[in-house]
Amino acid sequence: MLSPLDYLFGLFSLDIGIDLGTANTLVSVRGKGIVINEPSFVAIEKRSQQPIEVGARAKEMWSKNPKDILVVRPLRDGVISEFEVTEAMLHHLIAKAHEQTWVPIPRPRVVVGIPSGVTEVEKRAVFDAAISAGAREAYLIEEPVAAAIGAGLPVQETRGSMIVDIGGGTTEVAIFSLGGIVISRSIRVAGDEMDEDIVRYMRNKHNLLIGEPTAEKVKIQIGSAYPLPEETTMPVKGRNLVTGLPASVEVSSIEIREALSGSVEILVDNIKDALDDTPPELVADLMDSGIVLAGGGSLLRGLEQRITEEVNIRGTVADDAMTCVARGAGRVLEDYNNLRRLLAGLERGSTQH
Ligand code: ADP
Ligand code: MG
């Protein structure tokens, strides 16, 4: 329970929700919406081992590959790999969110979305990082839970609902009923894997070597999970593996769908698998409420139709699918009494400050 003092504090405090995604980091502030949306990159100066840039600027450095700077993606595989880097990122985000307020207010309360299935040690690391990065109170929430809240699913109600959050590094499936999670699944197949599929396909079928950024562009431009009303093509530039020379190949959306088919199948199987373990009455609920898709990966063309057809439950992409986790995390503090039981443990204010 919040004490009366906490409640009073809450009225004047900055409440922020943070989505530490494998691909993108977002911050939402109560009353303002999304204030930060940047790639999850951190640039570290090799000599001093100090983080020097975070977000878009760090990603820019990454593409230029400077020799005295190490650019890391600390959350790439959905796991928080390094405490200092995560702390630097959180510090940057909290400071930036704080900067945008006009009145002097106490240090913020922060809810951080973490991939489901992270270890207790990792949870502790994120929590400590948030506190040492300047949060007055920190709370953790599993990303699919935050995504479901952000997408407006009735997670507090008795009836069942289902979210599939497809990010860069992980796809998380969660089924809710009776105010909590009943079933959850997390796999390491999501947007990044699709990019790798395209890199592999271009190499094997066209002898063309391309990088992941190019593959991602191809995926976004012509990728799909279901036949398109009008199939298209686009030129893809890379290096011919036989001649070693630059080359451009015209590739069709049909080919790219084939390239992505393995990953898409794994995604669909993961959903089927979760449904297999779901009690029948709950499945009946889901047939009414449908499956809500969130995360950048859910924007792959035709994924809704593909899921609808394969699992026989209607799939729909949430509004503003890429911001669901940050918005959902931010909303927890607004409705703390009802939503607190959906938090992922480790909730506490900092006492040492
Ligand atoms: P995370 O939560 O892991 O940071 P996001 O939810 O931000 O991930 O989604 C990032 C992923 O979404 C990337 O793999 C990106 O390529 C993919 N993505 C973004 N837009 C699209 C699109 N229109 N079609 C297909 N994939 C997309
Ligand atoms: Mg995410």
Side-chain angles (χ1 to χ4, degrees), residues 19-22 24 143 165-168 295 325:
D19 169 11
L20 280 181
T22 63
N24 297 296
E143 280 161 5
D165 177 12
I166 307 167
V325 171

Side-chain angles (χ1 to χ4, degrees), residues 229-267:
E230 250 173 89
E231 303 290 351
T232 53
T233 65
M234 74 178 276
V236 180
K237 294 191 189 74
R239 184 154 55 86
N240 184 295
L241 283 164
V242 180
T243 64
L245 298 172
S248 177
V249 175
E250 194 74 16
V251 182
S252 77
S253 50
I254 299 172
E255 286 184 271
I256 297 304
R257 187 159 60 248
E258 184 192 326
L260 299 177
S261 63
S263 293
V264 170
E265 221 160 274
I266 292 173
L267 284 183

Side-chain angles (χ1 to χ4, degrees), residues 100-351:
Q100 308 196 1
T101 57
W102 296 88
V103 282
I105 46 176
R107 286 175 298 117
R109 302 195 297 173
V110 177
V111 179
V112 187
I114 48 162
S116 58
V118 305
T119 63
E120 288 302 315
V121 173
E122 288 172 324
K123 276 190 196 169
R124 164 61 62 180
V126 175
F127 180 83
D128 289 346
I131 294 292
S132 86
R136 172 164 53 90
E137 290 168 23
Y139 304 85
L140 304 180
I141 187 166
E142 292 191 0
E143 280 161 5
V145 180
I149 295 170
L153 262 60
V155 291
Q156 303 169 55
E157 292 174 21
T158 314
R159 71 190 151 110
S161 55
M162 178 168 185
I163 188 102
V164 178
D165 177 12
I166 307 167
T170 56
T171 294
E172 314 224 13
V173 174
I175 297 173
F176 299 84
S177 174
L178 302 168
I181 286 201
V182 185
I183 306 260
S184 73
R185 289 269 186 292
S186 175
I187 51 166
R188 297 275 166 94
V189 173
D192 291 342
E193 187 74 24
M194 296 181 194
D195 300 345
E196 285 162 31
D197 289 341
I198 294 174
V199 170
R200 246 188 323 269
Y201 181 89
M202 293 307 291
R203 192 177 53 217
N204 297 342
K205 288 278 157 73
H206 294 288
N207 277 324
L208 194 73
L209 187 67
I210 61 170
E212 278 173 43
T214 301
E216 184 183 25
K217 284 195 194 105
V218 173
K219 173 184 72 179
I220 291 174
Q221 206 168 320
I222 63 170
S224 62
Y226 198 82
L228 299 173
E230 250 173 89
E231 303 290 351
T232 53
T233 65
M234 74 178 276
V236 180
K237 294 191 189 74
R239 184 154 55 86
N240 184 295
L241 283 164
V242 180
T243 64
L245 298 172
S248 177
V249 175
E250 194 74 16
V251 182
S252 77
S253 50
I254 299 172
E255 286 184 271
I256 297 304
R257 187 159 60 248
E258 184 192 326
L260 299 177
S261 63
S263 293
V264 170
E265 221 160 274
I266 292 173
L267 284 183
V268 171
D269 284 348
N270 193 42
I271 295 174
K272 285 182 179 167
D273 210 45
L275 288 168
D276 264 353
D277 288 351
T278 306
E281 295 86 88
L282 195 45
V283 173
D285 278 1
L286 299 179
M287 290 186 77
D288 290 334
S289 59
I291 300 172
V292 176
L293 310 178
S298 72
L299 301 175
L300 182 69
R301 252 179 239 97
L303 195 59
E304 304 166 281
Q305 288 105 303
R306 177 69 184 272
I307 289 171
T308 305
E309 191 170 293
E310 291 221 27
V311 307
N312 205 22
I313 296 179
R314 184 175 34 87
T316 39
V317 177
D319 288 341
D320 216 349
M322 289 183 82
T323 65
C324 287
V325 171
R327 286 184 290 113
R331 202 166 297 156
V332 172
L333 293 172
E334 285 172 37
D335 193 10
Y336 183 78
N337 285 333
N338 284 317
L339 296 174
R340 59 169 306 190
R341 63 206 161 113
L342 289 163
L343 290 167
L346 273 180
E347 51 184 273
R348 183 191 68 173
S350 65
T351 46

Side-chain angles (χ1 to χ4, degrees), residues 3 27 68 84 91 94 121 139 158 238 254 274 297 353:
S3 72
V27 176
D68 42 358
E84 272 102 34
H91 195 90
I94 291 172
V121 173
Y139 304 85
T158 314
I254 299 172
H353 291 279

